[in-house]
Amino acid sequence: MPDFSEKDTIAGCKKNNRVFQEYLYQKYYSLFLKVCCRYARDMQDAEQLMHDGFIKIFNHIHDFENKGSFEGWMRRIMVNTCLDYLKSKYVKNSMQLYFSQDMSENHKFSIQNNALDKMALNELLGVIQTLPPMSKMVFNLFVFEGYSHREISQMLEISEGTSQWHVNNARKNLQQKINKQEENQQKKTKVYEQK
Amino acid sequence: MSKNEFDDLLRKKITEEELDYDPENWKRLSQLLPPALPDRSKKWTIGLGIAAALALLLATTLLVKLMDQTSQIHTADANLAAKAQYEQHTISESTDNSNAPGAANMAPGTEGVLAKAGPKDKDASSAVKMNGDYATTTGAGNEPRQIGAMKEPIPNTGTKVGFGKQAPESKATDLAHQKARNSIVEKRADPLQSALLPGQLSLHGKEKNMLALESFPAHPSNDRSQTSIAFGGGVNYGSLNAGYSLGVTAQQKLGNHFFFDGTVAIMYNNNTPNNIVNYAGAPTPANTAARPAQKMMLSTPAVAPVASLYYVQFNPSFGYQVADNLAISVGGDLQQMLSQEDNEFRKYQVSEEGTRVFPGLDLGFTGKTEYSITPQIQAGIIFREGLNNLIKPNQELPFVNRRYIQVQFKYNIPVRR
């Protein structure tokens, strides 16, 4: 596909031109799917979230005034779509909102050597998806979207302390799961070598 | 490992790696999007262009007809003037030849002249008689005069009447003389034979020229620089270029066999079977590596194709008349695209073989064969080949080769000179 400039792409999308819409979709597919995967329960939900986000982008593209980053503008729409999803009653009722056990503050952050490097992206995203909705929201907003605890507390109507708690617990949870996955992988490797 | 380090590792892992693109996802999304509406913002410019072309066609036709009528009038006037001139010359020559040996035999009496006259010349005889009476009335000394001698003043009783002057009482006489002259002129079936006066052996150069004028037809058929204007239309058949055209052709003959013609037309191309899309022809940004051209799958039924392309065509060509009804010609072809919705957008043809761009100014080569069904109606077949890729080969994307065969019909309006 030919490479189009951002200006032309925006102009084409404003005219509801399918070709430019598809070009935009293809260009930001990976980026926004990763965003949605971090907020969704599974890949299927993530794809649906991404589609919802793109629909909002195409519907509101006339509101973009060519000031600032177009990617940043789209990303904000995508994240807000994901947050709306996690805040929905359906998700809240269907998912465990909090961790089953409180992670001790004394827990040391450590992951096994190169565990993250060995882990596939899909696997890592899958691990993130297992986080409870609220922790997932706060963790993503803090670590990946760059919001401060204060901003998160205002957005989600929680206290800053609660925001910090969610981030810490999410980190520990991820670390545990990553290490566990690495151990399982090493065991599989050993068994294979023995055979 | 600190908290920040863990966060950095996570960010790095997620940022650096990409997820594979699945075209099926776009299919699903496109079905959720609102339908693409056709852009009608500038369709009126196309309609206006077509209307202008039709108006030009009509104006040209009317102008040609007007010029045709004017040229007919001028030709008729010229012929009348030539006739009158010839008649005067003939009359003057016949007067001069009255001294010729043959003529002398006729001198004694007008009866000799009358003997040559046919039945139509009964009036002539009476005119002569009247002339004689006229002469008689002139008094003594009158001599019988031949018809050609009318330019000399005829003696009369006290009244001098010269040629071209008419006394009221001599009007009837002059009319009779005019009749006589006309009847002799009419009798002249064979210009050469009848132009020879009695006793005259051959025509002089002047007489020959006058005869040539008289025998010169009203519409000269041997004018070699003949111009004609035709209007017509055609149907295109091609892999990308099914469509129609409507235009005006002006043709100028060069000699007996060669001709030059030029066509101006509006062309409509219907490209529904192909994916033709509006792309902005923007170059790759300087700070990013150019991506290799990818095959764009025809995976999406929701691509909004531009079905109609409109062009203004100019097609000059040089031809040879193979036979009376058959001509062949070759020439160049320039077609300027009209249907650009926005100056920023170009038209692309996207297929499994790759992406090609429709040139805004399409240059091509044509070969044509024309058959004249009647002098006014011609049928032709034109083959067109695009030349943009040859002229500008090193483009980022190759041009679409608008190759087609056109079946054409024309109505010819000759413009005479």
Side-chain angles (χ1 to χ4, degrees), chain B residues 223-254:
Chain B
D223 185 358
R224 295 188 173 185
S225 56
Q226 193 171 2
T227 307
S228 64
I229 290 180
F231 63 90
V235 181
N236 300 345
Y237 300 96
S239 58
L240 295 172
N241 300 282
Y244 311 94
S245 73
L246 186 67
V248 178
T249 302
Q251 187 185 83
Q252 174 70 50
K253 287 189 178 177
L254 309 168

Side-chain angles (χ1 to χ4, degrees), chain B residues 2-19:
Chain B
S2 68
K3 299 174 188 178
N4 291 336
E5 286 174 356
F6 180 68
D7 295 346
D8 291 339
L9 277 174
L10 283 178
R11 278 192 288 265
K12 185 182 175 185
K13 177 73 177 177
I14 289 176
T15 306
E16 284 179 354
E17 293 190 25
E18 303 289 336
L19 293 171

Side-chain angles (χ1 to χ4, degrees), chain B residues 270-312:
Chain B
N270 183 5
N271 299 284
T272 306
N274 304 287
N275 265 2
I276 298 177
V277 296
N278 279 318
Y279 279 176
T284 306
N287 59 347
T288 60
R291 294 183 188 178
Q294 297 176 13
K295 281 187 181 179
M296 181 167 171
M297 304 298 291
L298 293 174
S299 59
T300 163
V303 171
V306 175
S308 304
L309 296 178
Y310 294 88
Y311 296 86
V312 170

